[in-house]
Amino acid sequence: MRAAVLAVPDGEISVHLLFSGHEHGRTGLYRTVLPPRGRSRAGAHGAGSVEYVMVVSGHLTLVADETPYPLGPGGAARFSGAAEHSCTTGTEGAVTHSVLGYPRA
């Protein structure tokens, strides 16, 4: 419900933290809005981190571990957050939900 009212500037990448927790190690749920021809780049999140990305709408190419993964609505991927990764869109934008998990300290 909260994601529906978040401000998204036209033509800009928007990343919002929706929830975070520490019940099973540190986790965060994010909503990302990518405009047409957008590119989101993320650095390494640390050893043992895992990221899950699901495309809510639109199409994008996720590059993780130097391998491209084309994803459309309902498409999802799981990958190590220990390396840099990126998402790019074509002529349409995309909305994703991501879960980022870190191991217990």
Side-chain angles (χ1 to χ4, degrees):
M1 231 161 95
R2 181 176 159 202
V5 297
L6 296 174
V8 178
D10 286 339
E12 293 184 26
I13 295 170
S14 174
V15 179
H16 292 100
L17 174 64
L18 300 177
F19 302 101
S20 64
H22 298 285
E23 295 85 11
H24 305 286
R26 190 166 50 117
T27 59
L29 172 63
Y30 296 86
R31 177 178 187 250
T32 301
V33 178
L34 293 108
R37 293 183 174 75
R39 180 177 177 144
S40 170
R41 296 171 66 181
H45 300 298
S49 63
V50 177
E51 189 163 347
Y52 303 82
V53 174
M54 186 187 85
V55 178
V56 176
S57 65
H59 292 83
L60 59 81
T61 300
L62 165 70
V63 177
D65 220 7
E66 299 184 18
T67 303
Y69 300 96
L71 300 171
R78 175 189 183 272
F79 56 94
S80 169
E84 292 184 12
H85 46 282
S86 64
C87 290
T88 56
T89 58
T91 57
E92 65 177 320
V95 175
T96 67
H97 286 172
S98 302
V99 175
L100 183 53
Y102 298 90
R104 252 183 222 266

